[in-house]
Amino acid sequence: MSESPTPYRVLARKYRPQNFSELIGQDAMVTTLANAIRRGRLAHAFLLTGVRGVGKTSTARLIAKALNCIGADGQGGPTIDPCGVCEPCVAIAEGRHIDVVEMDAASHTGIDDVREIIEAVRYASVSARYKIYIIDEVHMLSKPAFNGLLKTLEEPPAHVKFLFATTEVNKVPITVLSRCQRFDLRRIPADKLAAHFQHVVDAEQVEAEPEALALVARAAEGSARDGLSILDQAIAHGSGKVEAAQVRDMLGLSDRGAIRRLFGELLKGDAQAVLAAVRGQYDLGVEPAAMLHGLLETCHGVTRAKVAGTEDPALSVEEREAYAEWAGRLGFAPLHRLWQLLLKGHGEVQSAAMPIEAAEMALLRVVHASQLPDPGELVRKLASGELSPSPAPISASAPTSGPAPTPAMAAPLPSAPAAPAPAVEAQALPNSAKGLHALLLRDNALLAQLFHDYAAIVRLEGDALTITRHPRLPASFAADLGAVLLKRTGVRWTIELTAETGAPSLFERANAEKDAARAAVLESPLVQAALQAFPEAELIDYSAPEPRSLAS
């Protein structure tokens, strides 16, 4: 009878790191552990946290091997480079070492499971240097279980080490966190994942396109295990060859070239081309949310290219050229507005009953917004007077789209004089700081407060106003003040901020008057006599006496 063939091991298990040099993306943690082992400063408990698939459990096993390795000759000590051939290393790698206990806290959550650990730690290890407890998903332990573990975790025997792993460190009690040395395992960058996947396909003797591996790395979102699972599926999907087109089909990803073309049509404001491109992608099986996601990635990529260039190795040559071209002719303000519109549309598509219709409406909103004038430019023109904030009057002969005017609408009654526009009031120009402040209070309370507190008038002559430049006054203060004065007086004021010293502001005058009144009260004979009688007395508050009439 022939022996059964060896069962297939998925790539995520087959290429699990066996030493710290194979652990990718966690250099800072490896350096810390190496220094701790070299100097004999080993903590009694370690907490490993991070997203799924970055190597928390694998790192815990590597630490167990590093602490218990005895070397190929059996004379070695703890090392950051375990030999992998001694009995402890082999047994730990195969998961059968009696002194290295792995417990899944998701299925062993109670106080009884923790009591078994507490009882066992009192006994020395059987054959290893350290008795090690690896508790995976430790945040799943119950509150009584955590409380029961606290004392043992704080003062364990010298031969015991605890290694905790969790994806949700915020659910671990602070009392446990304070007793552990914490390591935050980072997401693995896409370029490092792609290089790792290239090593894997070379070892598996599988041909793979670099763009396909970049797509897998991007889809893994920083998780080596997720990426290897996707790569395993891609190898099976491509019958031994991994191609970018097949990976896109397998993952339901939109063609990035089509997304770039759609992004270009959005920037042109061509509504018909946008709708045709969306329907074309939808007919190919691309989900509407994936289209919006791709557009968001493109917008983010263009913005990054504008800030830091296009040296991302995960980008294709075509993407780099397109991003560089868009980054050169688009400003930050349009890119930020486009991001907000696409982000809002993406949320609508995800929750919509009709996703494709919601995607089309969201992109048409982007097209419509591209044809609107820039809000910042409009504000600047209004502040400088290039545009009038009020609509121009309609002449009697000009055609209108509304109903035909009645005689009462066409001309005012002879006895009723035409009223002035409500935005402009016929009145004398204010000639003092108090007059200006009173005028501002009627229109803009915040501007009036700024004027009251910080405006030191140097000159006020008719409609010409010069104010000392104050660091608390915003850059738009002169323009905002001019707009309000134009609205309230009907006159375009000339306002200038200067370094010259002006008269005290209204706030400073009020404080000076209060100080003068307080000084007058302190100098009065009655108060002086009271202070002499009670040297430690202080004047806390006072009120001016009411004037008495002659009749009283």
Side-chain angles (χ1 to χ4, degrees):
M1 181 176 179
S2 60
E3 295 182 0
S4 59
T6 304
Y8 176 71
R9 296 180 68 197
V10 296
L11 297 181
R13 294 186 59 192
K14 185 175 181 180
Y15 291 95
R16 177 172 282 169
Q18 298 301 314
N19 52 64
F20 284 103
S21 62
E22 297 177 3
L23 190 66
I24 58 176
Q26 313 300 338
D27 297 339
M29 181 201 66
V30 173
T31 301
T32 303
L33 284 174
N35 292 337
I37 292 175
R38 187 180 304 112
R39 298 169 185 172
R41 303 178 65 87
L42 289 170
H44 58 267
F46 299 89
L47 177 69
L48 307 171
T49 179
V51 298
R52 78 272 179 259
V54 294
K56 297 183 296 297
T57 306
S58 297
T59 301
R61 292 172 182 167
L62 290 179
I63 295 175
K65 290 169 64 174
L67 297 183
N68 285 326
C69 177
I70 59 175
D73 57 358
Q75 303 299 320
T79 174
I80 195 65
D81 297 312
C83 65
V85 297
C86 65
E87 175 57 26
C89 285
V90 173
I92 293 172
E94 295 176 356
R96 57 178 176 80
H97 200 291
I98 192 172
D99 291 321
V100 178
V101 181
E102 290 193 34
M103 187 181 90
D104 176 23
S107 56
H108 300 80
T109 62
I111 183 64
D112 292 335
D113 301 298
V114 171
R115 284 198 184 103
E116 293 181 9
I117 296 177
I118 296 173
E119 291 295 325
V121 297
R122 296 185 300 173
Y123 303 101
S125 56
V126 177
S127 61
R129 185 178 296 111
Y130 293 104
K131 179 180 285 189
I132 296 177
Y133 290 90
I134 300 175
I135 303 181
D136 204 3
E137 300 300 335
V138 69
H139 66 274
M140 299 291 287
L141 288 178
S142 64
K143 186 175 180 180
F146 272 126
N147 291 336
L149 188 62
L150 284 180
K151 192 61 180 177
T152 303
L153 184 61
E154 183 174 14
E155 298 177 358
H159 61 273
V160 173
K161 302 290 182 185
F162 287 98
L163 302 175
F164 300 145
T166 178
T167 54
E168 300 183 48
V169 69
N170 58 301
K171 293 185 179 180
V172 179
I174 190 66
T175 50
V176 174
L177 293 177
S178 65
R179 290 167 167 84
C180 300
Q181 191 171 99
R182 173 174 168 175
F183 291 101
D184 289 83
L185 276 66
R186 302 177 179 178
R187 290 180 184 270
I188 306 171
D191 56 339
K192 289 189 176 182
L193 278 178
H196 179 60
F197 297 155
Q198 184 64 58
H199 168 73
V200 170
V201 295
D202 290 343
E204 292 290 315
Q205 298 181 350
V206 174
E207 186 179 351
E209 296 178 354
E211 186 179 356
L213 297 181
L215 287 172
V216 173
R218 223 180 261 119
E221 297 181 347
S223 169
R225 183 177 62 227
D226 288 9
L228 288 172
S229 298
I230 296 172
L231 182 60
D232 219 340
Q233 183 181 357
I235 293 173
H237 182 81
S239 300
K241 184 177 181 180
V242 183
E243 298 178 346
Q246 294 172 337
V247 172
R248 289 192 186 96
D249 292 340
M250 182 188 74
L251 297 178
L253 298 174
S254 174
D255 177 41
R256 297 184 71 84
I259 288 294
R260 291 197 300 275
R261 290 190 292 273
L262 176 57
F263 190 82
E265 300 298 344
L266 283 175
L267 295 180
K268 293 177 185 176
D270 190 340
Q272 292 184 354
V274 167
L275 291 179
V278 170
R279 282 293 172 175
Q281 289 287 290
Y282 185 69
D283 293 340
L284 290 175
V286 180
E287 291 296 325
M291 275 187 271
L292 270 294
H293 188 274
L295 289 172
L296 281 167
E297 284 186 336
T298 303
C299 182
H300 175 258
V302 174
T303 308
R304 280 184 59 90
K306 190 169 183 66
V307 174
T310 57
E311 298 304 320
D312 187 352
L315 297 177
S316 64
V317 177
E318 294 79 7
E319 284 177 309
R320 295 183 190 180
E321 293 176 350
Y323 287 1
E325 193 270 332
W326 284 325
R329 64 185 177 90
L330 290 175
F332 285 111
L335 286 171
H336 291 321
R337 286 200 302 275
L338 181 58
W339 171 266
Q340 291 296 331
L341 289 168
L342 291 173
L343 191 63
K344 181 175 178 9
H346 184 264
E348 293 174 352
V349 170
Q350 286 185 313
S351 59
M354 300 183 293
I356 183 61
E357 287 80 1
E360 290 179 341
M361 294 299 293
L363 296 182
L364 286 177
R365 185 167 61 224
V366 175
V367 171
H368 177 68
S370 70
Q371 300 170 357
L372 296 176
D374 181 66
E377 185 68 14
L378 284 179
V379 171
R380 187 191 66 78
K381 290 183 177 181
L382 284 172
S384 62
E386 295 180 38
L387 293 178
S388 174
S390 58
I394 302 175
S395 63
S397 60
T400 63
S401 59
T406 62
M409 295 171 60
L413 295 176
S415 58
V424 178
E425 301 175 359
Q427 61 182 21
L429 298 181
N431 57 4
S432 66
K434 289 185 177 181
L436 287 170
H437 180 251
L439 199 63
L440 295 174
L441 271 177
R442 302 172 60 184
D443 194 83
N444 190 322
L446 178 58
L447 188 64
Q449 188 66 44
L450 289 171
F451 181 87
H452 177 275
D453 291 349
Y454 308 117
I457 297 179
V458 179
R459 282 180 294 275
L460 176 55
E461 300 172 357
D463 57 3
L465 176 60
T466 304
I467 298 174
T468 302
R469 184 179 289 105
H470 193 284
R472 293 292 183 89
L473 291 177
S476 61
F477 177 75
D480 296 342
L481 182 59
V484 174
L485 293 178
L486 172 62
K487 179 179 179 180
R488 286 298 172 191
T489 65
V491 177
R492 191 175 303 283
W493 286 60
T494 302
I495 301 174
E496 180 185 0
L497 297 181
T498 180
E500 299 179 45
T501 302
S505 66
L506 294 177
F507 178 74
E508 292 171 339
R509 294 183 199 177
N511 284 343
E513 292 174 359
K514 289 181 181 179
D515 292 342
R518 181 182 178 86
V521 171
L522 288 173
E523 292 174 1
S524 66
L526 183 61
V527 175
Q528 287 291 328
L531 291 175
Q532 290 177 3
F534 304 98
E536 297 183 359
E538 295 180 3
L539 178 62
I540 297 177
D541 197 5
Y542 64 91
S543 58
E546 294 292 335
R548 301 178 63 185
S549 64
L550 295 176
S552 60

